[in-house]
Amino acid sequence: MAQHQVKFGTGLPVALTTVDKIVNWGRSNSLWVLTYGLACCGIEMMASGASRYDFDRFGTIFRASPRQAEVMVIAGTLTKKHAEFIRRLYDQMAEPKWVISMGSCANTGGMFNTYATVQGADRVIPVDLYLPGCAPRPETLQYAVMMLQKKIRREPANQNKNIPQKRFI
Amino acid sequence: MQQANRLRPFFENLAFDREDSQMIINFGPQHPSAHGQLRLILHLDGEQVVKANPDIGYLHRGMEKMAENMIYNEFLPTTDRMDYIASSSNNYGFALAVEKLLGIEEQVPRRAKIIRTMLLELNRIVSHEFWLATHALDVGAMSVFLYAFREREWALDLIEDYCGARLTHSAIRIGGVPLDLPDGWTGHLAGYLDKVERAVREDYEALLDENRIWKMRLENVGIIDQEMARSWGTSGIMLRGSGYHWDLRKEMPYEIYSELDFDIPVTDKCDSYGRYKLYMEEMRQSIKILRQLIPLYHQSEAKLMANVPQYISAPKEQIMTQNYSLMQHFVLVTQGMRPPVGEVYVATESPKGELGFYINSQGEPYPYRLKIRTPSFFHTGILQDLLPGHQLADVVTIIGSTNIVFGEVDR
């Protein structure tokens, strides 16, 4: 987080950093996930929150309400009947927000190339990370969260994807 | 303000503003306690449910239609994604139905049958542990969730050792099993059985049996009387929890269940607490079955697939040495097996209840029609009869106690 550390005398050192970095540091280490278990991957998502894989280590806590969550993990098959709800829940989430598409079904429709299935959740909402597998193991989801943390740390902190940026210069 | 890129809410002719004192609550389809994509339209009078209307289809993936365009072996991995908590039981139900259609169920080698039974019972333990974890989480017992998932992970380790997958196993194939158990697997299994037996006794039951909150939330809640259980077509623990002594493993024994010594726990308490006790008891029975299977496995001959080269590829050695076997194998790989004309319905006792596969074959490599009779579908239907009269807070516990999985309901 800190870019420079200056030590004055015997007291605690002074850390110098940018606002971007400190805001992103806070954001990336407390990613609260919306419980969005749609199908099989939802079970693996629960397993990654449970005793062995212990998602709390990442500061990732599952929240039931979109208002309290900032990451949506689309875990499972998105059907056409459900597509409307995923868009509404995404719109209800507060900025900044990110989306992880978990598993083949959410990425591309996977093995279910049928009349009922949305062929990829990115047809409905923007997706930041795609993680492959059917169903991906909990480690994969943890790796995806780490990749998302990396991505967040690279982004400017005031970026708001859905609202046009105001230019000051 | 409606934005152009947002979808408008759509409420299937539901009037949320009403003249009377009733209130309509939309529960789901994304609800942490709905066990998947269940949507319930609840009419409430105060806190009491007057009318409940389950709305399903949010996970409908068109599996039965997919089956009509797939050869039989191709469809097998799709059945994993039905009851994704206990995949092997689906694999088995489908494999047994096809074997009955082909008329080769007697030719499945004994070792394959033993491994299949092991997988089925291990899946039953996994499924019941998952049920307990989520149900206890819904009622508010977080520690039970963590304990149950710990033991579930150990069972998944065993399954992973065997077939490489945690959730979607595809470990049971038409005509047998593809692999023998790895070295030392039965020893690990025996160790696991001891651990899970201790966990059932000392963790789950010690935490829940006499727990005041657990008893208050579950006792006399969700009462399914005999008449209701029968008329809604329930099966599995939902039926046995209402006093019916009915288990397909005993009524129509498949695999080697007729040789094994186990009991079918039945209760006539009819409420959620009685069903919880049945789940615990069934886990004990599964442990008992698995313990009997370990010596049987070691006595059996190492043969894994049925020897019917016109339907199932012959062993690799035979394919590589005999020309006719190679030709048969080529046809099976490129075109798929062609079962005789006919239809078959085979029901097995999955962890959730009666899981049946109906296959209508016209002699093509593709089934003409494949219908899956899943227990959860019927247990979702019963909610509209079961929920009225209960408090809103009980809705979640009743849904939990029915043990529905939406991959199975909607297919």
Side-chain angles (χ1 to χ4, degrees):
Chain A
M1 175 188 78
Q3 280 183 320
H4 305 287
Q5 279 203 345
V6 189
K7 198 163 163 62
F8 293 108
T10 53
L12 288 169
V14 176
L16 298 174
T17 183
T18 59
V19 177
D20 264 2
K21 283 213 162 156
I22 196 159
V23 168
N24 280 337
W25 171 76
R27 277 180 184 165
S28 62
N29 288 312
S30 65
L31 291 172
W32 286 11
V33 174
L34 177 68
T35 54
Y36 215 119
L38 292 172
C40 334
C41 295
I43 309 297
E44 291 295 62
M45 191 174 75
M46 283 178 74
S48 43
S51 25
R52 180 184 288 181
Y53 296 97
D54 191 13
F55 233 159
D56 295 3
R57 292 178 294 169
F58 294 85
T60 300
I61 301 169
F62 288 105
R63 305 303 295 180
S65 160
R67 303 286 187 198
Q68 300 168 352
E70 49 210 350
V71 180
M72 182 190 257
V73 178
I74 311 166
T77 316
L78 184 64
T79 56
K80 286 179 183 165
K81 192 172 178 182
H82 196 102
E84 164 206 343
F85 293 89
I86 204 168
R87 181 74 216 188
R88 271 163 63 193
L89 286 165
Y90 179 77
D91 286 342
Q92 281 173 13
M93 279 162 65
E95 289 281 350
K97 55 192 170 188
W98 298 275
V99 177
I100 295 175
S101 152
M102 181 181 182
S104 309
C105 291
N107 293 344
T108 63
M111 67 199 294
F112 298 105
N113 188 1
T114 57
Y115 55 89
T117 315
V118 177
Q119 299 298 304
D122 50 5
R123 299 194 176 200
V124 188
I125 55 173
V127 174
D128 287 286
L129 255 142
Y130 301 86
L131 67 145
C134 184
R137 298 174 58 90
E139 293 98 325
T140 324
L141 183 58
Q142 290 181 337
Y143 185 64
V145 167
M146 284 156 68
M147 295 298 281
L148 186 63
Q149 286 179 337
K150 269 190 185 169
K151 180 174 177 171
I152 292 167
R153 286 174 196 145
R154 280 204 310 269
E155 283 176 349
N158 65 345
Q159 188 191 22
N160 198 332
K161 278 171 263 177
N162 288 359
I163 299 169
Q165 297 268 310
K166 203 181 227 178
R167 289 179 182 274
F168 291 105
I169 303 165
Chain B
M1 189 185 74
Q2 279 284 347
Q3 291 182 7
N5 64 343
R6 293 193 180 186
L7 298 169
R8 284 169 178 280
F10 171 63
F11 292 113
E12 292 102 2
N13 306 325
L14 269 182
F16 280 80
D17 301 319
R18 291 165 63 107
E19 296 294 316
D20 53 7
S21 62
Q22 284 191 6
M23 180 185 177
I24 299 185
I25 279 188
N26 176 43
F27 178 101
Q30 186 270 341
H31 189 279
S33 299
H35 285 234
Q37 307 186 29
L38 170 66
R39 183 180 182 198
L40 278 174
I41 316 286
L42 297 169
H43 295 235
L44 299 181
D45 183 12
E47 266 201 70
Q48 206 171 35
V49 179
V50 182
K51 192 176 163 218
N53 196 2
D55 184 7
I56 60 167
Y58 289 98
L59 195 52
H60 177 68
R61 306 184 267 198
M63 282 188 186
E64 290 173 5
K65 188 68 194 167
M66 276 169 78
E68 293 169 19
N69 297 307
M70 280 175 158
I71 62 173
Y72 290 89
N73 279 321
E74 247 180 332
F75 185 64
L76 196 102
T78 315
T79 58
D80 277 337
R81 279 89 184 159
M82 258 164 40
D83 176 4
Y84 33 76
I85 294 164
S87 309
S88 290
S89 57
N90 305 318
N91 297 156
Y92 178 70
F94 178 66
L96 185 68
V98 179
E99 281 161 16
K100 285 250 166 86
L101 186 65
L102 302 173
I104 60 164
E105 78 272 17
E106 294 303 320
Q107 296 181 46
V108 177
R110 185 168 170 79
R111 175 160 284 194
K113 284 188 174 182
I114 292 167
I115 295 175
R116 283 170 167 206
T117 319
M118 275 179 173
L119 286 174
L120 290 180
E121 291 306 315
L122 206 52
N123 269 277
R124 197 178 304 275
I125 293 178
V126 168
S127 170
H128 286 1
E129 255 162 9
F130 187 86
W131 169 84
L132 179 74
T134 48
H135 186 33
L137 193 64
D138 290 347
V139 179
M142 182 88 185
S143 46
V144 178
F145 167 77
L146 295 173
Y147 282 129
F149 255 81
R150 183 186 61 182
E151 273 86 44
R152 182 176 174 270
E153 290 291 340
W154 288 336
L156 293 185
D157 282 349
L158 284 171
I159 296 173
E160 199 185 327
D161 268 1
Y162 174 61
C163 66
R166 277 165 55 86
L167 210 64
T168 44
H169 312 139
S170 300
I172 296 173
R173 303 282 163 80
I174 299 163
V177 287
L179 299 162
D180 205 349
L181 297 179
D183 288 340
W185 196 84
T186 48
H188 295 307
L189 178 66
Y192 170 70
L193 294 178
D194 293 339
K195 282 195 276 190
V196 76
E197 192 177 36
R198 190 203 59 79
V200 170
R201 191 178 62 243
E202 289 176 18
D203 291 340
Y204 317 151
E205 290 195 334
L207 277 168
L208 295 176
D209 260 13
E210 297 304 321
N211 189 325
R212 242 177 70 204
I213 304 169
W214 184 255
K215 285 185 100 166
M216 279 163 75
R217 292 293 301 272
L218 262 66
E219 271 184 334
N220 297 320
V221 168
I223 293 181
I224 305 172
D225 56 33
Q226 289 218 341
E227 178 53 35
M228 196 163 139
R230 205 175 53 195
S231 58
W232 280 97
T234 61
S235 53
I237 285 185
M238 293 282 278
L239 189 62
R240 294 195 284 278
S242 304
Y244 275 103
H245 195 283
W246 179 264
D247 188 314
L248 291 173
R249 289 177 292 172
K250 286 278 187 200
E251 304 295 330
M252 294 185 250
Y254 48 93
E255 290 309 292
I256 54 168
Y257 280 114
S258 50
E259 296 173 29
L260 299 167
D261 169 38
F262 64 101
D263 301 319
I264 303 300
V266 178
T267 180
D268 50 8
K269 287 181 85 168
C270 305
D271 60 353
S272 297
Y273 189 79
R275 288 194 287 276
Y276 151 72
K277 293 298 288 176
L278 285 192
Y279 277 104
M280 295 298 106
E281 196 52 41
E282 279 218 341
M283 278 167 72
R284 284 211 186 84
Q285 295 301 326
S286 293
I287 293 167
K288 195 174 161 189
I289 294 173
L290 282 166
R291 285 211 173 112
Q292 295 168 36
L293 286 169
I294 292 172
L296 288 180
Y297 168 77
H298 290 294
Q299 290 158 17
S300 61
E301 185 197 353
K303 197 162 170 292
L304 295 172
M305 286 298 256
N307 188 18
V308 261
Q310 69 270 35
Y311 295 134
I312 292 152
S313 291
K316 241 340 178 234
E317 199 189 324
Q318 200 179 326
I319 293 172
M320 293 303 176
T321 49
Q322 292 176 25
N323 194 18
Y324 191 66
S325 290
L326 179 67
M327 282 154 64
Q328 278 180 323
H329 175 67
F330 181 76
V331 170
L332 283 178
V333 169
T334 51
Q335 297 176 11
M337 63 176 86
R338 290 174 186 269
V341 179
E343 55 182 4
V344 68
Y345 174 79
V346 175
T348 55
E349 184 79 19
S350 89
K352 312 269 180 311
E354 178 186 332
L355 174 69
F357 281 83
Y358 166 80
I359 301 175
N360 188 330
S361 160
Q362 304 283 336
E364 297 284 308
Y366 311 96
Y368 179 73
R369 172 87 172 98
L370 190 136
K371 165 88 181 87
I372 310 162
R373 185 256 186 234
T374 50
S376 295
F377 179 79
F378 296 84
H379 299 165
T380 314
I382 201 172
L383 288 176
Q384 53 194 286
D385 212 3
L386 192 57
L387 292 179
H390 284 95
Q391 306 289 315
L392 178 61
D394 292 333
V395 170
V396 171
T397 68
I398 292 172
I399 294 170
S401 114
T402 52
N403 195 6
I404 47 181
V405 169
F406 267 76
E408 220 183 34
V409 176
D410 298 331
R411 301 189 286 278

